[in-house]
Amino acid sequence: MGPRPRPVRRGETLARVRTLIREADPEVVEEVKWRKPSNAMRGVPVWEHDGIICTGETYKAVVKLTFAKGASLKDPSKLFNSSLEGNTRRAIDFAEGAKINEKALKALIRAAVTLNEAKGKAKR
């Protein structure tokens, strides 16, 4: 028998998500916010384009990608699987080693950017 495949770690999952977000929106700005001693990540990565698109957090068993206005986004691929009860946010929990539907995630990122841009224009 050959070597067993190495499981994908949460940090690697978050890194892959980060890459997909940048590919979906090259103009995205990433900042780390909400730094506090009790947060092992020393803050939460936040991706913005005319407002917050989403945040990324690592937990014991998942990487959680929370979309600030997720309830307003169409999700034909049914990526949202967490925080479904609220009126505003929606989240995707990626379990360690889970395969990411990259095409659907990029479409969701672009939809979030389009929504932010539309709301920004309406305010002006």
Side-chain angles (χ1 to χ4, degrees):
M1 285 203 306
R4 290 190 311 173
R6 187 174 60 81
V8 176
R9 303 282 181 237
R10 290 172 305 208
E12 292 171 18
T13 300
L14 185 59
R16 183 68 192 137
V17 166
R18 177 178 279 122
T19 297
L20 294 171
I21 291 169
R22 286 189 193 128
E23 288 174 1
D25 180 21
E27 295 178 28
V28 72
V29 174
E30 180 181 344
E31 288 185 70
V32 176
K33 297 185 178 186
W34 307 299
R35 295 176 191 269
K36 54 188 174 182
S38 63
N39 187 331
M41 289 177 25
R42 294 183 179 80
V44 175
V46 178
W47 292 275
E48 299 183 53
H49 184 147
D50 287 335
I52 294 176
I53 298 168
C54 58
T55 63
E57 297 176 86
T58 57
Y59 293 95
K60 186 174 182 179
V62 298
V63 170
K64 180 181 287 289
L65 196 62
T66 303
F67 284 74
K69 298 178 185 114
S72 299
L73 300 174
K74 291 182 180 174
D75 180 23
S77 297
K78 306 283 188 237
L79 292 180
F80 291 131
N81 61 8
S82 182
S83 305
L84 302 175
E85 63 285 339
N87 294 328
T88 308
R89 292 185 301 259
R90 293 286 183 272
I92 305 168
D93 286 351
F94 297 101
E96 277 191 62
K99 182 163 173 32
I100 298 173
N101 182 337
E102 295 182 2
K103 182 178 177 183
L105 181 58
K106 286 180 180 183
L108 207 52
I109 295 294
R110 286 190 287 270
V113 170
T114 299
L115 180 64
N116 282 357
E117 289 174 334
K119 289 191 184 255
K121 288 178 184 173
K123 286 182 180 179
R124 287 183 217 137

